[in-house]
């Protein structure tokens, strides 16, 4: 009697482990969602008291919350644009061209990823202070672009290395110029890697606290606002913003998967 369930578990062990891991990762987000509908008795939103939608009706009810959120989104957007453009160019250069110090640059790309954030944050702060820069929006933006750059390079580089060079050769054989070949052949093939790097850069920039805290001056981003609020109390609106960001991210991933599946189905004869 026990043989069939045991065999089923063995056949689906990888799937079961994957689902359990996914549940473990999603559990904190579910807690955030649930407590976004809580009406705490005191300042701290740590224990369930009463169901309420008041925080959803007024997500900006806490002073400076939406201002810090808008600032974080603005910094993340511009840091993503800068890191994606520079990272894509670096990735193409490292894969397609042979030049001196190429190996050293390949190794240096991984340093920001391997280096502890607090060390990088202190180093950037030292750099800005030696240059006499005023800490604020621009120093945060430069710092975020610098540490997101490596992640974009790795994502785009992996995609470019898997590209078939014969497709570009075929385009050139059909009298396509370098620009036309890049725009109509190379860029569409590399687009998934570039998009993945951009999404990763946006998430890292929006979520960063350590590097931002060192180089922000008097500027308050959303992660810094959450950290500061946790010292005095945790308003329910923080859970509302967190839930909204999570739902938007999931919808983007689902939409991207649906578009990808539709393209694959339309490409099949």
């Amino acid at each position: 009697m026990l043989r069939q369930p045991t065999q089923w578990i063995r056949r689906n062990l990888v799937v079961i482990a994957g689902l359990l891991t996914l549940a473990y990762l999603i559990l904190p987000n579910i807690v955030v969602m649930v407590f976004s509908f809580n009406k705490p008795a005191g300042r701290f939103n740590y224990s369930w008291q009463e169901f309420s939608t008041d925080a959803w009706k007024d997500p900006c009810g806490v002073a400076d919350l939406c201002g810090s959120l808008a600032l974080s989104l603005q910094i993340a957007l511009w840091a993503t644009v800068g890191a994606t453009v520079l990272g894509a160019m670096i990735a193409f250069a490292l894969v397609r061209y042979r030049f001196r110090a190429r190996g050293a640059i390949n190794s240096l790309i991984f340093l920001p990823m391997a280096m502890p954030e607090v060390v990088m944050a202190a180093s950037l702060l030292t750099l800005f202070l030696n240059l006499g820069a005023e800490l604020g929006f621009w120093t945060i933006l430069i710092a975020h672009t610098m540490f997101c750059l490596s992640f974009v390079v790795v994502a785009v580089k992996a995609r470019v290395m898997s590209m078939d060079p014969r497709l570009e050769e075929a385009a050139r054989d059909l009298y396509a110029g370098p620009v036309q070949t890049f725009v109509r052949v190379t860029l569409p093939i590399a687009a998934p890697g570039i998009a993945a790097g951009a999404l990763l850069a946006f998430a890292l920039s929006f979520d960063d606290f350590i590097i931002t805290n060192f180089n922000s001056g008097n500027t308050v981003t959303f992660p810094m606002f959450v950290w500061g609020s946790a010292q005095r109390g945790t308003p329910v609106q923080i859970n509302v913003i967190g839930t909204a960001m999570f739902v938007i991210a999931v919808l983007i991933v689902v939409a991207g998967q649906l578009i990808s599946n539709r393209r694959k189905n339309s490409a099949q004869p």
Side-chain angles (χ1 to χ4, degrees), residues 101-137:
R102 178 173 172 268
I105 293 176
N106 263 318
S107 301
L108 289 173
I109 288 297
F110 287 93
L111 279 181
M113 301 171 63
M115 185 184 300
E117 276 197 59
V118 66
V119 176
M120 188 174 183
S123 301
L124 287 168
L125 176 61
T126 303
L127 173 65
F128 291 138
L129 292 179
N130 287 331
L131 293 175
E134 183 180 355
L135 300 180
F137 176 87

Side-chain angles (χ1 to χ4, degrees), residues 14-32:
V14 175
V15 177
I16 295 172
L19 292 175
L20 290 175
T21 303
L22 184 62
Y24 176 76
L25 293 174
I26 293 180
L27 182 60
N29 297 289
I30 295 177
V31 173
V32 171

Side-chain angles (χ1 to χ4, degrees), residues 187-260:
L187 191 58
I189 298 175
I194 296 174
L199 291 174
L200 182 59
F202 183 88
L204 290 170
S205 176
F206 179 82
D207 188 53
D208 180 77
F209 171 77
I210 297 176
I211 293 177
T212 304
N213 189 38
F214 272 75
N215 300 279
S216 61
N218 295 324
T219 305
V220 179
T221 61
F222 183 69
M224 294 182 64
F225 178 87
V226 174
W227 178 80
S229 298
Q231 313 304 311
R232 304 180 300 272
T234 51
V236 185
Q237 283 80 358
I238 290 178
N239 296 65
V240 172
I241 299 299
T243 301
M245 297 295 294
F246 175 74
V247 171
I248 292 172
V250 171
L251 290 177
I252 291 174
V253 172
V254 172
Q257 190 64 39
L258 291 175
I259 293 172
S260 177

